[in-house]
Amino acid sequence: MKHFLLTTLFVFSPITVFSQQNLVETQKIETLSKVWGFLKYYHPEVAAGKYNWDEQFIDILPEIRKTENNEQLSRVYLAWLDRLGSVKPCKKCNPNPDKEYFDKNFDLSWTRDSTLFTKELSSRLKYIEDNRFQGKPYYLKSYNAIKARIVNEPEYDNFEYPDGKYRLLALAKYWNVVEYFFPYKYMADQDWNEVLTEMIPKFSDAKGATEYHLAMLELVAKTDDTHASLSSDYVSGFFGNKWIPAALKIIEDKAIITGFYNDSLAKVNDLRVGDVILKIDGKKISEILSENFKYVPGSNAASKIRNTLFKIVVGKSDSLNIYLERNGNFQNKKIARYNFGTLNYKRDKEKSEEKWKILEGNIGYIRMENIQIKDNLKVVEALFNCSAIIFDIRGYTLATGQMANNLIPAKKAYANLLYPDVKYPGKYYWGKAETGSNNSKPYSGLVVILVNEYTQSRAEYVAMSLQTAEKSVTIGSQTAGADGNVNPFEFLGGYKTQISGLGIYYPDRTPAQRKGVKIDIEVKPTIQGIREGRDEVLERALEYIKNRM
C-alpha cells in the first residue's frame, strides 16, 4: 500500500522535478559566452560600463570549468548576479508601440534551457531582460538614431596568440556582436548557436598564432556576409603574398584570364587574355575553391567565388604549374609569381574618368564608379533628352538613392530598412527609404541598370532606387548580396573586422541581402566573349533598347 501511494504521488504531483545534467567542457564555455554577452548589453550595471567586463570573463572562467552539472553551474551564475548588484524595476522597458518590430533575428530561448540552467537562474535572466538597461550604453554608440557602433572595447598589445582563456574571450566578444547587432544572423547557412559550439574547441585548442588567426577567419566567414572581413598578417602569410601577373574570372569551374596586372611580365610568362586555366599544381579549380570557401566571407556563391579568386593563384613560392587550354590546345606551363607591389599595378589606369557619355542611337551611358554624390541630379539632367539611359553599376559608386529623383513623378519607397534597437539588443524595427519628389516632368525614356558580382553595398542600394523607374530593367548577374552600411569593430588584439549593420529589404520585404538585387534579364560573360574582348552585358542592354524603341 505504501508503495502504491508513493508511486501515485510521483506520477500525479504537479511539481516539476529538476533533474541534474552532467555537462561537458564545450557546454560550459558556451553558457558562459552567452550569459556574459547577455549581461554586457542588458544588465544595467554592466551595460553602463561599471565593470571591467573582459576581466570578469577571465575571472569567472575557472569557476565555470570546475562545475560538473547544471545545478552547480547555475549556482555560480546566481552568485555572480548577486555580486553585480540589484536590478531595479524598469518602467520604460515595454516595446515602443510606435515601432513595428522584426523578431526573426531575436532569440533568448537559451536562457530557459532546463538542461543547462535551474528555474531560479532562468527566472533571474528573464527579469533582467524585462528590466534591461535603458540609459546611454557604454559599449555602443548610437548615432543618427539608427546605427549601433561597437565602442569602448579594451585594447590589447602583443595578442597575436594569447593564451586559451583570452582566445575564448575573443570568440565570446565576436559571437555576441553578431548575436545582437547583425541583422542577417537568421539568414546564415549555419545556426549561430551551432557556430559557437563548433568554434569553441577551435579557439581553445588552436596551436600557434596562424591556427588561431585561421579560426578567427573561419568564424568571420560563417556570417555569410560579403561585408565581413578580417585584417591579419598571419592570414596573409598563410595564403602567401606572391601573385601571377594576370587577373581572373571563374566561369564553369574554370579560371579565365581577363586582363593583366603587368603587361610585360604577362608577356614574359606567355599569358594571354582568354587562356582557360583548368588545373593549378595538379588540382582542379573546383577543388581549390572548395578548400578555401570556409575561409572566405561571402553572401552568395557569386561573391564567395569573387573573393576566392586571388587565393587560386596566390602563394608563397616563386612559381606554380598550370594546365591550360588556349584555342583548343592544351599545355602545361610554369608561371612565375611576384610580390604584388613589384607588379606596379594601378587599377585606376584601366578606368576612364569619364562620368557619362552619349552612345550611338541617342543612348545615355553612365559609368557609376565615377559618380560622386554631387553628381546625383546633374547626371540625369545631362542625359534627359536621351531615348534611354544605361546606369552601369558593375562596381562601387558614391551616388545615393536620390539619384532616381528625376526618374519618377513622386516620392516612392524603394527599400524597407531594419534598424537595431539599442534599448532592446537583438531586436530590430522597420523603417523605409524613399526616393523621388514632386516632379511633373520625370524622365520618360528607358532606364537600364547593369549589375554583376562587383555590385555591392551602396551600389546595390542605388540599383534598388533606380528600379523604381517605371521603364526600368536590370540586366546582368547576381550581385554581392551585402546591402546596408558597414559596421566596423575589432577582434581582441586590434584585428580589424566588420559586418553589415542595417537590414535592407525591398518594399515588399523581400531581402536584398544574400540574394542580391532583383534581375530581369540574366547575362553572364562567356569564355568566347572574354577572348573576343566583348562586353556581353552591355551588348545585351543595347539589344534590349533597340528592340523596345
Side-chain angles (χ1 to χ4, degrees), residues 278-546:
L278 304 172
K279 292 183 181 180
I280 296 176
D281 289 334
K283 287 186 178 181
K284 294 180 180 179
I285 302 301
S286 58
E287 292 180 66
I288 301 173
L289 289 172
S290 180
E291 288 173 359
N292 285 286
F293 262 13
K294 74 174 183 177
Y295 295 126
V296 179
S299 300
N300 50 47
S303 58
K304 272 185 174 287
I305 290 173
R306 183 199 81 185
N307 292 342
T308 312
L309 277 175
F310 83 96
K311 293 183 176 67
I312 292 175
V313 291
V314 169
K316 302 175 185 177
S317 63
D318 292 333
S319 64
L320 75 166
N321 296 302
I322 65 173
Y323 178 61
L324 64 79
E325 180 267 323
R326 177 184 293 166
N327 298 323
N329 297 313
F330 297 84
Q331 55 183 295
N332 289 296
K333 297 179 71 68
K334 186 175 182 178
I335 305 299
R337 283 192 179 113
Y338 308 86
N339 288 323
F340 192 76
T342 65
L343 295 176
N344 197 30
Y345 175 65
K346 298 288 189 295
R347 186 169 185 265
D348 289 342
K349 75 179 181 181
E350 295 183 355
K351 291 185 185 178
S352 166
E353 295 182 0
E354 190 174 45
K355 294 182 179 181
W356 65 82
K357 59 185 176 181
I358 298 178
L359 305 178
E360 184 179 348
N362 194 33
I363 299 170
Y365 174 85
I366 305 171
R367 189 183 295 276
M368 295 291 285
E369 284 183 289
N370 295 336
I371 297 300
Q372 309 290 320
I373 292 177
K374 63 182 180 181
D375 302 316
N376 260 355
L377 299 180
K378 293 180 183 177
V379 63
V380 176
E381 289 172 357
L383 301 173
F384 204 79
N385 293 321
C386 291
S387 55
I389 301 177
I390 297 174
F391 294 83
D392 191 340
I393 324 181
R394 291 175 292 176
Y396 196 69
T397 182
L398 291 176
T400 72
Q402 301 312 308
M403 195 167 199
N405 275 6
N406 288 335
L407 304 179
I408 55 179
K411 279 189 176 183
K412 189 174 183 180
Y414 65 92
N416 271 2
L417 282 67
L418 286 181
Y419 301 127
D421 188 347
V422 296
K423 302 295 186 183
Y424 207 151
K427 282 187 177 287
Y428 288 79
Y429 58 91
W430 288 105
K432 65 179 179 179
E434 295 181 329
T435 189
S437 58
N438 292 328
N439 184 2
S440 60
K441 294 183 179 180
Y443 176 71
S444 59
L446 300 177
V447 173
V448 181
I449 306 154
L450 308 187
V451 298
N452 66 5
E453 68 272 22
Y454 290 96
T455 308
Q456 179 174 325
S457 194
R458 178 182 277 190
E460 293 178 286
Y461 198 59
V462 171
M464 292 171 66
S465 75
L466 296 173
Q467 288 175 335
T468 59
E470 183 178 350
K471 296 180 181 179
S472 71
V473 62
T474 304
I475 300 174
S477 55
Q478 186 176 36
T479 62
D483 220 331
N485 71 310
V486 174
N487 196 350
F489 57 107
E490 293 182 350
F491 258 106
L492 184 148
Y495 300 101
K496 297 186 184 303
T497 185
Q498 61 186 34
I499 52 175
S500 298
L502 296 176
I504 307 295
Y505 297 71
Y506 276 95
D508 64 1
R509 297 188 178 176
T510 299
Q513 181 79 2
R514 302 207 68 181
K515 293 182 179 182
V517 303
K518 295 177 180 179
I519 295 174
D520 301 301
I521 301 173
E522 185 177 28
V523 180
K524 296 180 180 180
T526 65
I527 296 173
Q528 189 60 33
I530 290 171
R531 284 176 170 163
E532 295 173 358
R534 294 162 47 205
D535 185 341
E536 294 165 282
V537 178
L538 179 58
E539 286 177 4
R540 183 66 181 88
L542 294 173
E543 179 188 350
Y544 172 83
I545 294 169
K546 180 181 178 181

Side-chain angles (χ1 to χ4, degrees), residues 122-413:
S122 291
S123 179
R124 289 280 293 275
L125 295 175
K126 177 60 177 172
Y127 178 81
I128 293 171
E129 177 192 350
D130 292 341
N131 298 278
R132 61 198 170 275
F133 180 65
Q134 295 294 294
K136 183 179 180 181
Y138 179 75
Y139 295 106
L140 299 172
K141 181 181 179 181
S142 179
Y143 59 102
N144 295 339
I146 61 172
K147 300 174 184 176
R149 182 66 56 86
I150 306 301
V151 295
N152 291 330
E153 291 290 345
E155 295 182 4
Y156 296 85
D157 295 325
N158 301 317
F159 263 63
E160 293 86 356
Y161 178 58
D163 66 27
K165 58 182 179 288
Y166 280 98
R167 297 198 299 273
L168 290 174
L169 172 62
L171 170 60
K173 287 163 78 78
Y174 184 94
W175 188 88
N176 279 289
V177 170
V178 173
E179 173 73 1
Y180 293 106
F181 304 109
F182 178 48
Y184 305 117
K185 178 190 70 176
Y186 77 101
M187 295 178 68
D189 288 343
Q190 187 176 3
D191 182 89
W192 197 237
N193 294 296
E194 294 176 2
V195 169
L196 179 59
T197 304
E198 179 185 338
M199 297 307 297
I200 285 172
K202 292 187 178 185
F203 272 70
S204 179
D205 302 339
K207 296 176 177 61
T210 297
E211 192 171 323
Y212 169 56
H213 285 244
L214 288 175
M216 288 196 288
L217 181 59
E218 186 176 350
L219 175 63
V220 170
K222 286 182 180 293
T223 60
D224 294 317
D225 179 21
T226 312
H227 272 149
S229 65
L230 174 68
S231 176
S232 160
D233 289 340
Y234 284 93
V235 168
S236 301
F238 175 78
F239 290 107
N241 56 10
K242 294 187 176 182
W243 299 54
I244 68 170
L248 305 173
K249 187 175 184 66
I250 301 297
I251 298 177
E252 299 174 359
D253 289 335
K254 300 169 186 175
I256 319 303
I257 294 179
T258 59
F260 305 119
Y261 298 126
N262 185 295
D263 293 343
S264 60
L265 291 177
K267 189 173 183 179
V268 167
N269 287 275
D270 186 28
L271 295 173
R272 303 179 191 178
V273 170
D275 281 350
V276 180
I277 301 176
L278 304 172
K279 292 183 181 180
I280 296 176
D281 289 334
K283 287 186 178 181
K284 294 180 180 179
I285 302 301
S286 58
E287 292 180 66
I288 301 173
L289 289 172
S290 180
E291 288 173 359
N292 285 286
F293 262 13
K294 74 174 183 177
Y295 295 126
V296 179
S299 300
N300 50 47
S303 58
K304 272 185 174 287
I305 290 173
R306 183 199 81 185
N307 292 342
T308 312
L309 277 175
F310 83 96
K311 293 183 176 67
I312 292 175
V313 291
V314 169
K316 302 175 185 177
S317 63
D318 292 333
S319 64
L320 75 166
N321 296 302
I322 65 173
Y323 178 61
L324 64 79
E325 180 267 323
R326 177 184 293 166
N327 298 323
N329 297 313
F330 297 84
Q331 55 183 295
N332 289 296
K333 297 179 71 68
K334 186 175 182 178
I335 305 299
R337 283 192 179 113
Y338 308 86
N339 288 323
F340 192 76
T342 65
L343 295 176
N344 197 30
Y345 175 65
K346 298 288 189 295
R347 186 169 185 265
D348 289 342
K349 75 179 181 181
E350 295 183 355
K351 291 185 185 178
S352 166
E353 295 182 0
E354 190 174 45
K355 294 182 179 181
W356 65 82
K357 59 185 176 181
I358 298 178
L359 305 178
E360 184 179 348
N362 194 33
I363 299 170
Y365 174 85
I366 305 171
R367 189 183 295 276
M368 295 291 285
E369 284 183 289
N370 295 336
I371 297 300
Q372 309 290 320
I373 292 177
K374 63 182 180 181
D375 302 316
N376 260 355
L377 299 180
K378 293 180 183 177
V379 63
V380 176
E381 289 172 357
L383 301 173
F384 204 79
N385 293 321
C386 291
S387 55
I389 301 177
I390 297 174
F391 294 83
D392 191 340
I393 324 181
R394 291 175 292 176
Y396 196 69
T397 182
L398 291 176
T400 72
Q402 301 312 308
M403 195 167 199
N405 275 6
N406 288 335
L407 304 179
I408 55 179
K411 279 189 176 183
K412 189 174 183 180

